[in-house]
Amino acid sequence: QVQLVESGGGVVQPGGSLRLSCAASGFTFSSYGMHWVRQAPGKGLEWVAFIRYDGSNKYYADSVKGRFTISRDNSKNTLYLQMNSLRAEDTAVYYCAKLDWFAFDYWGQGTLVTVSS
Amino acid sequence: QSALTQPASVSGSPGQSITISCTGTSSDVGGYNYVSWYQQHPGKAPKLMIYEVSNRPSGVSNRFSGSKSGNTASLTISGLQAEDEADYYCSSYTSSSTLGYVFGTGTKVTVL
């Protein structure tokens, strides 16, 4: 069965950096595009970034463009999100999600990122 | 990338039908048949309920159905059950400002 397990969350100061990882199993990771989606405490879902199955194209929400970088290592079945210049408004649970049918068909359990001094 | 507009809350009694709307623009909902719907229970990850406007993934109850007219998509839950109480989000592929995806503002469904 499909499993997505995020890690790397934690508390970081404003202006700091953090790298999230998402370990995938149960499907052919190298054949699917992948997303990062976040949810601030008590708020709705916000799409963050997408990477094609082969890493050839990447797309970002305006709110993170230039600060976040999505990447993947298909040999390790792992998705990454490098987050730099973090701000208080980046505080959220970050989910990785698999793309199919132009939808987010499987989600991880999420990892919490808190940006605070 | 402005969020799609959903009603903040919708309620219904067990057995009734409810409909949640999701309004966007011609750059997202109206321009593509790539609208999807998600159910999220408190403290849990979202679950895909509908993809490509009206298709149900395997395992999702046929009480859930989707449709679209112009720039507005809709999710209908028929035969409302207690376990349907959750937050629901729509999403669409978008070509506005940058290619990507956009979510709706979310709707809290309460079973009375």
Side-chain angles (χ1 to χ4, degrees), chain A residues 8-115:
Chain A
V11 180
V12 61
Q13 292 189 336
S17 298
L18 210 57
R19 188 176 86 153
L20 306 183
S21 298
C22 169
S25 61
F27 65 103
T28 305
F29 180 72
S30 59
S31 297
Y32 291 89
M34 296 292 295
H35 297 273
W36 286 101
V37 176
R38 69 184 180 182
Q39 187 169 34
K43 302 296 184 182
L45 300 172
E46 180 186 15
W47 173 76
V48 173
F50 169 71
I51 185 168
R52 282 175 57 91
Y53 68 98
D54 58 357
S56 60
N57 292 92
K58 306 171 186 181
Y59 304 95
Y60 300 92
D62 290 341
S63 57
V64 307
K65 201 174 297 183
R67 300 187 299 122
F68 290 12
T69 301
I70 189 172
S71 63
R72 65 191 298 160
D73 185 337
N74 285 344
S75 68
K76 295 181 178 179
N77 289 349
T78 302
L79 175 73
Y80 303 101
L81 185 68
Q82 177 67 44
M83 305 186 294
N84 299 331
S85 303
L86 283 161
R87 308 165 179 166
E89 54 264 36
D90 295 319
T91 294
V93 173
Y94 284 74
Y95 296 99
C96 63
K98 173 178 165 288
L99 171 74
D100 205 348
W101 310 306
F102 283 86
F104 310 80
D105 66 335
Y106 286 95
W107 300 64
Q109 85 289 349
T111 187
L112 177 63
V113 171
T114 303
V115 184

Side-chain angles (χ1 to χ4, degrees), chain B residues 10-53:
Chain B
V10 173
S11 61
S13 299
Q16 286 187 330
S17 293
I18 62 169
T19 297
I20 303 168
S21 61
C22 170
T23 302
T25 69
S26 58
S27 295
D28 38 65
V29 174
Y32 306 93
N33 287 326
Y34 297 140
V35 177
S36 51
W37 289 90
Y38 303 86
Q39 177 191 65
Q40 187 179 35
H41 287 109
K44 301 294 187 182
K47 175 187 175 183
L48 176 65
M49 305 302 285
I50 296 287
Y51 67 94
E52 291 179 346
V53 176

Side-chain angles (χ1 to χ4, degrees), chain B residues 5-109:
Chain B
T5 301
Q6 298 180 230
S9 62
V10 173
S11 61
S13 299
Q16 286 187 330
S17 293
I18 62 169
T19 297
I20 303 168
S21 61
C22 170
T23 302
T25 69
S26 58
S27 295
D28 38 65
V29 174
Y32 306 93
N33 287 326
Y34 297 140
V35 177
S36 51
W37 289 90
Y38 303 86
Q39 177 191 65
Q40 187 179 35
H41 287 109
K44 301 294 187 182
K47 175 187 175 183
L48 176 65
M49 305 302 285
I50 296 287
Y51 67 94
E52 291 179 346
V53 176
S54 60
N55 295 303
R56 277 187 311 275
S58 174
V60 172
S61 171
N62 59 9
R63 298 186 298 105
F64 292 84
S65 61
S67 62
K68 190 186 86 167
S69 178
N71 294 337
T72 299
S74 298
L75 174 72
T76 297
I77 309 175
S78 58
L80 200 62
Q81 298 180 1
E83 62 259 35
D84 299 333
E85 185 162 297
D87 293 325
Y88 291 82
Y89 295 90
C90 61
S91 178
S92 174
Y93 177 78
T94 178
S95 57
S96 67
S97 73
T98 184
L99 295 179
Y101 291 77
V102 60
F103 283 97
T105 49
T107 298
K108 170 67 177 177
V109 168

